[in-house]
Amino acid sequence: MRRIAIIAWHAGVLAGAALMLYPLLWMVVSSLRPEYQIPGNLSLWLAQAPLWENFASGWNALARPFGVYVLNSTIVSIGAVVGNLIACSMAGYAFARLSFRGRRLGLGIVIATLLLPGYVTFVAQYVMFSKLGLVNTFVPLILPKFLAVDSFFVFMITQFIRGIPRELDDAARLDGCGYIRTFFSIIVPLIRAPLATTAVFTFLWTWGDFFSQLVYLTKEDVKTAAVAIAAFADPDASTEYGPMFAMALLTLAPIFIVFTLFQKQLVRGIASTGFK
Amino acid sequence: MTVTLNPDVHEAGTARRAKRSGHERAQGRAAAILLAPWLIGVVGITAGPLLYSLVISFTKYSVITSPEWIGFDNYVEALGDDRLHKALQVTFIYALVGVPAQLVFALLLAVVLNRTLRGTQIYRSIYYLPSLLGGSVAISLLWRQVFGGSGLVNTVLGHVGIEGPGWLTDPDLALFTLILLHVWTFGSPMVIFAAALKQVPEHLYEAAKVDGCGPLRQFRSITLPLLTPIIFFNLVLQLIGAFQSFTQARIMTDGNGGPADSTLLITLYLYQQAFTSFRMGYASAIAWILVLIVGAISALLFITQRRWVFYDD
């Protein structure tokens, strides 16, 4: 490409990127501004020293200190990650390597549920968990992950294990390893890539999830950060923008951190499976 | 066959058969252990509730009282429910405008960024970031301000002498604003397009250049046809996702689909029926109707793909 074309390319792409990021950057700056400076102010430049007070007042603006909600989000997200890692890899190994009756049927079920929309089972699940007295606990949000209901990950791990040379696990069994020990000592170390993808996406989805957390968590003490900050949208609440943006940023921070640390896994995961 | 490396493979036939069935039994046992959680999940979390929701869609059920069998009444009610029809209409517009617009941007940026210039990786990350954040409550709160009466957009318009409209309070504009947020999240299909573009053989472009084809012609005759499977893939995936959008509609407007039900996405209506009015039977009937609609759309896409999706093999 000619020099001038390269410069034009950079200018165009940069302008687009700036437009995409502008609202986000504006939110960051606004969270550090006094309230009267926020509406109508397009500048990304802080006129005075950053006002950290917004974080302090936002922290205490809701029914509980914001730490309670962050902790709840953390418990739910970590629980979901652990559940998916264990259950989906176990199922993936069984489908990829073991021959047993009903294997084809099982794989068929996995694929059939790949595209099953969540809302068609959601109401019935709610009825079930509510009869068991588990509404306002984390069980409805975490337990399904320990039961490998996220077929995407089961399928992804199954496909990955199929690509591993069988000689490796055969060799392990020659050394007297049973199938389950082979799984833990041979397969698990070899499937770190799909496990990382599983962990990253499970975390992002669970942390960012709103619908199911809104339905299951209605008491203040169990609310997650996503459910809690939704209170800022309450038309009756006279919320200031500064504290609201401050807390909104706190809930986005983990997503941003995971994004910067695990870009490779994210891109690989999206490219191979089409996840968001 | 898993026994090919077995050291006892040269033993007498009966011993081998015994050995093999021993292996099979061992595999069956291991599979039973490893698949136990998955099986419980299929029965208890997926298939069970799936059947159960079909059953309660024929009942009147508020969780507190016991279900009362009412036959097809819920489905009959759905036929005459104006709010449901409005919700379906809103959802269709949202999906059928938002998703193609999102994919156009995704493809455009993927092509533009398909260069080996310095900084490409950083640009791609920046364009990708909003798609990770877009579905969150936090971004919906931000968007509420940005498109609010005295929000960022109207401030910009004010600077150029235009009095901005009420983006989220005008029934003609509120859904458009939601769609804009959806388009903003074009990063994830962009990454999928980017991966696919790398697979397009370079020699095709070189041959086209020799024949005197310009960049636009190359895009139309080489890139686009080769990408149709990925376009199809993204289309199906994003449509299914769009039909499940909830957070934006719940947070950005009044939380009830307003103004004048113009942002009443179907999931929001389902939420209201199930968890505000506790009409579990009717909500389940809506969910099943929606499944049939989404299934029909997917089937239609799969049927029409033969006409426009180009497969190499």
Side-chain angles (χ1 to χ4, degrees):
Chain A
M1 258 204 289
R2 272 177 301 147
R3 206 187 165 83
I4 200 112
I6 293 178
I7 292 171
W9 182 87
H10 274 290
V13 174
L14 198 64
L19 191 67
M20 294 283 288
L21 278 193
Y22 175 72
L24 292 174
L25 296 173
W26 182 84
M27 175 161 73
V28 174
V29 178
S30 294
S31 74
L32 300 168
R33 272 185 181 141
E35 194 63 20
Y36 70 91
Q37 281 188 12
I38 296 174
N41 188 352
L42 298 176
S43 157
L44 293 179
W45 189 255
L46 270 179
Q48 76 292 310
L51 187 77
W52 296 104
E53 245 169 66
N54 283 335
F55 282 83
S57 57
W59 190 270
N60 294 309
L62 301 168
R64 298 282 182 280
F66 205 68
V68 171
Y69 307 127
V70 172
L71 180 68
N72 290 340
S73 277
T74 309
I75 295 171
V76 172
S77 304
I78 301 287
V81 168
V82 172
N84 261 353
L85 284 178
I86 295 174
C88 297
S89 62
M90 279 165 55
Y93 171 70
F95 282 127
R97 279 293 200 262
L98 301 177
S99 65
F100 54 91
R101 224 184 305 163
R103 180 168 160 275
R104 275 166 172 272
L105 177 69
L107 261 177
I109 292 173
V110 169
I111 291 164
T113 51
L114 273 178
L115 291 177
L116 187 75
Y119 40 73
V120 70
T121 51
F122 195 85
V123 171
Q125 281 170 16
Y126 177 83
V127 170
M128 180 181 79
F129 283 121
S130 125
K131 291 283 174 211
L132 294 170
L134 292 171
V135 172
N136 280 311
T137 71
F138 299 144
V139 176
L141 302 170
I142 296 177
L143 178 71
K145 311 292 178 186
F146 278 88
L147 302 176
V149 297
D150 284 342
S151 297
F152 270 123
F153 299 125
V154 175
F155 187 64
M156 180 177 74
I157 294 170
T158 303
Q159 294 299 82
F160 192 91
I161 294 176
R162 279 178 169 168
I164 299 172
R166 237 177 220 283
E167 286 75 17
L168 286 170
D169 22 339
D170 285 336
R173 267 202 315 287
L174 279 184
D175 292 342
C177 280
Y179 290 100
I180 289 179
R181 236 185 91 196
T182 307
F183 168 62
F184 282 108
S185 54
I186 305 291
I187 298 293
V188 170
L190 289 172
I191 57 171
R192 265 177 300 193
L195 289 184
T197 305
T198 303
V200 168
F201 277 99
T202 306
F203 180 83
L204 289 176
W205 287 349
T206 315
W207 188 275
D209 173 39
F210 179 53
F211 186 81
S212 52
Q213 295 175 3
L214 177 72
V215 169
Y216 282 114
L217 308 174
T218 55
K219 287 193 178 143
E220 284 302 327
D221 288 317
V222 291
K223 278 186 183 172
T224 54
V227 181
I229 60 167
F232 284 122
D234 191 340
D236 303 330
S238 60
T239 317
E240 299 192 315
Y241 285 124
M244 177 179 93
F245 287 149
M247 292 309 104
L249 280 176
L250 282 190
T251 69
L252 293 181
I255 302 181
F256 188 76
I257 292 169
V258 168
F259 165 72
T260 38
L261 290 181
F262 299 101
Q263 273 198 57
K264 215 173 73 186
Q265 282 83 357
L266 277 168
V267 169
R268 189 171 49 210
I270 301 162
S272 63
T273 54
F275 297 157
K276 227 184 214 179
Chain B
M1 281 321 240
T2 50
V3 286
T4 44
L5 277 181
N6 193 303
D8 303 328
V9 80
H10 295 300
E11 278 179 19
T14 44
R16 190 157 76 218
R17 231 169 290 132
K19 195 83 193 174
R20 186 179 292 165
S21 73
H23 269 286
E24 269 162 19
R25 236 176 297 134
Q27 290 196 31
R29 263 200 311 274
I33 294 167
L34 293 169
L35 282 177
W38 174 82
L39 194 61
I40 296 170
V42 167
V43 174
I45 309 287
T46 313
L50 191 69
L51 289 177
Y52 187 47
S53 81
L54 187 62
V55 172
I56 53 180
S57 77
F58 293 102
T59 67
K60 190 176 164 190
Y61 186 32
S62 70
V63 185
I64 308 155
T65 58
S66 49
E68 178 195 330
W69 190 263
I70 54 168
F72 279 94
D73 281 10
N74 286 325
Y75 291 93
V76 173
E77 183 184 339
L79 281 178
D81 182 351
D82 288 339
R83 274 198 98 202
L84 174 64
H85 301 164
K86 176 75 183 173
L88 285 173
Q89 186 197 342
V90 168
T91 310
F92 269 96
I93 297 175
Y94 177 79
L96 297 183
V97 176
V99 170
Q102 176 201 31
L103 292 186
V104 166
F105 275 97
L107 183 56
L108 180 74
L109 265 299
V111 170
V112 168
L113 290 176
N114 192 28
R115 295 271 156 80
T116 46
L117 292 177
R118 220 187 308 166
T120 312
Q121 203 51 50
I122 296 166
Y123 290 135
R124 212 175 275 151
S125 299
I126 292 175
Y127 283 106
Y128 173 55
L129 182 64
S131 71
L132 271 188
L133 308 174
S136 66
V137 176
I139 292 297
S140 286
L141 287 171
L142 169 65
W143 222 252
R144 233 168 105 89
Q145 199 288 334
V146 168
F147 284 92
S150 55
L152 276 187
V153 173
N154 281 355
T155 307
V156 173
L157 290 177
H159 280 299
V160 294
I162 302 170
E163 197 187 329
W167 295 99
L168 292 165
T169 50
D170 182 339
D172 293 330
L173 290 173
L175 182 59
F176 169 77
T177 312
L178 257 65
I179 290 174
L180 220 62
L181 172 55
H182 187 83
V183 175
W184 187 59
T185 65
F186 66 76
S188 61
M190 180 195 74
V191 172
I192 301 175
F193 281 135
L197 281 173
K198 289 205 187 102
Q199 309 292 321
V200 178
E202 193 58 37
H203 67 83
L204 290 179
Y205 292 114
E206 278 152 20
K209 264 182 227 160
V210 171
D211 291 346
C213 292
L216 272 181
R217 184 68 206 272
Q218 287 175 35
F219 176 77
R220 208 166 58 86
S221 306
I222 300 170
T223 315
L224 210 52
L226 287 177
L227 279 189
T228 44
I230 305 298
I231 295 175
F232 176 72
F233 176 76
N234 271 333
L235 192 62
V236 173
L237 216 71
Q238 294 295 333
L239 276 179
I240 291 173
F243 270 92
Q244 301 193 53
S245 292
F246 172 77
T247 308
Q248 302 88 317
R250 171 79 182 169
I251 300 293
M252 276 165 62
T253 57
D254 59 1
N256 296 314
D261 286 343
S262 63
T263 61
L264 188 67
L265 291 180
I266 189 74
T267 44
L268 193 54
Y269 189 57
L270 195 107
Y271 172 83
Q272 287 176 0
Q273 291 299 326
F275 305 111
T276 312
S277 314
F278 286 94
R279 300 184 64 206
M280 297 301 175
Y282 190 50
S284 298
I286 294 174
W288 272 98
I289 292 170
L290 195 56
V291 166
L292 293 181
I293 293 174
V294 173
I297 293 175
S298 309
L300 200 71
L301 281 173
F302 272 95
I303 291 167
T304 57
Q305 69 163 327
R306 248 174 273 154
R307 309 182 63 147
W308 62 276
V309 178
F310 173 81
Y311 288 105
D312 208 7
D313 39 50

